[in-house]
Amino acid sequence: MMKKPVNIAITGAAGQISYALLFRVAAGDLLGADQPVILHLLEVPEAMHALKGVVMELEDAAFPLLADIEVTDDAETAFRDADIVFLVGAKPRSAGMERRDLLQDNAHIFSRQGQALNAVARHDVRVLVIGNPANTNALIVQRNAPSLPPESFSAMSRLDHNRAVSQLAAHFDCGVADISHMTVWGNHSSTQFPDIHQLRIAGQPLVQPLDTVWYLRTFIPAVQQRGGEVLAARGKSSAASAAHAALCHMRDWVLGTPEHDWVSMSVISDGSYGVTPGLVFSFPVRCRQGRFEIVRGIELNDFSLDRIRLSEQELLAERDMVAHLLPH
């Protein structure tokens, strides 16, 4: 017997990331080959004509799991009874744009979307913020949806996590599936800290001494700056890799992480590892039965703690810049 359809809302639905995401969700790559979905697609009025073309393609693909498509330019209509929400839509970062400018441009979008979620979404909704600056946008959304549990909200650091895993697999000459216990701490920005001090390869801890020159001068900058390199190369921000990371993030959140590993998710800090409570910060997490839990008890050296504090300070500064949009 076919399951009851899951309501999935996606904002910025005519954009590049959503275009790469929608067809995989409709095909069952998110929730499995036996789970029907209803897509709730949100766009700004001026993009509705382009979205019509995307809907036509979804229809033409004849996905057996796609139970219905609803299209709207109203956030409350899109989020009504939503089970899963991907907040993709945001003003994209362009070459030369300062992070402060991007934050100010997008802050009002996410405050309004938080209010809409608060009004009409299911109480057990799962909301993933992808539009940048994702961590602080997620904080804005969460604070504007006070009737929903804080654990309903997360921001995406999975793209950074995936980038780091790919770099590590190449360096250690192994498959990406062999890499585990890798963590991205902090903000989705150039202050993020890709941490390999707990790294395992094929289930085994590193035995050779860490090449600190490679780690400091090659690996960390490569992960931190990869988004900018993609933007410089193609003239547009990451799209397909971002969509894949969003799908991985939400699939693990709903269906669970691997038994003996963790993933990186930006979630509301509960004070773990000394991070200011309330910030949306990337931690190592495990997911079980639709819920995430920050991994406890990781021993951090002074170098790691310094990097974590640097990213925390950036997030505190971003929080202060949008304080007027953060209801108490």
Side-chain angles (χ1 to χ4, degrees):
M1 182 178 294
M2 193 69 86
K3 296 180 179 178
K4 178 182 177 182
V6 171
N7 291 295
I8 301 177
I10 300 177
T11 73
Q16 288 194 97
I17 295 175
S18 294
Y19 189 80
L21 176 64
L22 282 166
F23 295 86
R24 295 189 61 189
V25 172
D29 289 351
L30 176 62
L31 299 177
D34 62 345
Q35 178 58 68
V37 297
I38 297 174
L39 295 177
H40 301 248
L41 308 183
L42 177 67
E43 259 299 357
V44 294
E46 52 267 33
M48 293 299 285
H49 185 69
L51 181 56
K52 180 180 178 181
V54 175
V55 171
M56 292 168 66
E57 286 201 79
L58 285 165
E59 292 170 344
D60 291 348
F63 292 110
L65 296 174
L66 185 53
D68 198 6
I69 307 171
E70 299 180 3
V71 176
T72 183
D73 61 5
D74 177 72
E76 287 199 10
T77 301
F79 298 154
R80 190 171 304 279
D81 296 326
D83 299 291
I84 291 171
V85 178
F86 293 93
L87 297 183
V88 183
K91 181 176 180 178
R93 179 184 172 190
S94 57
M97 176 179 276
E98 295 291 335
R99 188 174 182 83
R100 175 187 294 268
D101 298 331
L102 187 65
L103 177 60
Q104 295 295 343
D105 285 350
N106 284 321
H108 291 281
I109 296 172
F110 288 89
S111 63
R112 292 192 296 269
Q113 290 182 349
Q115 293 160 13
L117 285 163
N118 193 65
V120 300
R122 290 174 55 90
H123 190 70
D124 59 353
V125 66
R126 296 178 183 86
V127 180
L128 171 59
V129 177
I130 300 160
N132 285 317
N135 293 56
T136 298
N137 286 339
L139 175 63
I140 294 168
V141 172
Q142 185 268 320
R143 291 282 287 274
N144 280 275
S147 68
L148 297 176
E151 59 269 23
S152 295
F153 300 89
S154 66
M156 191 170 77
S157 49
R158 186 59 173 269
L159 179 54
D160 307 305
H161 182 103
N162 288 351
R163 287 167 171 165
V165 167
S166 177
Q167 296 282 337
L168 290 166
H171 180 74
F172 290 109
D173 192 23
C174 65
V176 294
D178 293 324
I179 302 294
S180 66
H181 294 76
M182 205 291 301
T183 304
V184 172
W185 301 88
N187 198 4
H188 175 61
S189 75
S190 60
T191 69
Q192 65 179 265
F193 171 48
D195 180 8
I196 66 172
H197 288 92
Q198 294 78 40
L199 187 72
R200 296 184 183 182
I201 300 176
Q204 300 301 313
L206 285 177
V207 292
Q208 69 250 51
L210 180 63
D211 182 346
T212 55
V213 173
W214 168 81
Y215 183 51
L216 296 176
R217 297 184 183 179
T218 300
F219 173 72
I220 292 178
V223 178
Q224 290 175 333
Q225 299 167 14
R226 185 70 164 188
E229 291 179 358
V230 172
L231 177 61
R234 69 188 297 262
K236 298 177 181 178
S237 297
S238 302
S241 58
H244 176 70
L247 189 144
C248 292
H249 175 120
M250 188 62 74
R251 183 174 59 209
D252 284 347
W253 192 358
V254 174
L255 302 180
T257 49
E259 185 69 26
H260 300 295
D261 196 9
W262 60 64
V263 295
S264 304
M265 285 176 61
S266 291
V267 300
I268 303 292
S269 172
D270 59 0
S272 293
Y273 302 100
V275 176
T276 302
L279 288 181
V280 177
F281 198 88
S282 185
F283 292 99
V285 305
R286 291 190 176 101
C287 301
R288 298 286 185 273
Q289 298 180 329
R291 301 175 65 87
F292 62 79
E293 181 179 13
I294 296 172
V295 177
R296 309 285 198 257
I298 295 175
E299 293 187 9
L300 299 172
N301 59 25
D302 289 342
F303 171 79
S304 299
L305 288 170
D306 287 345
R307 292 299 181 108
I308 287 171
R309 296 295 161 254
L310 180 66
S311 205
E312 178 189 26
Q313 289 303 311
E314 182 181 54
L315 283 167
L316 287 169
E318 289 185 10
R319 184 192 65 182
D320 292 345
M321 280 189 274
V322 298
H324 59 292
L325 296 173
L326 302 177
H328 294 287

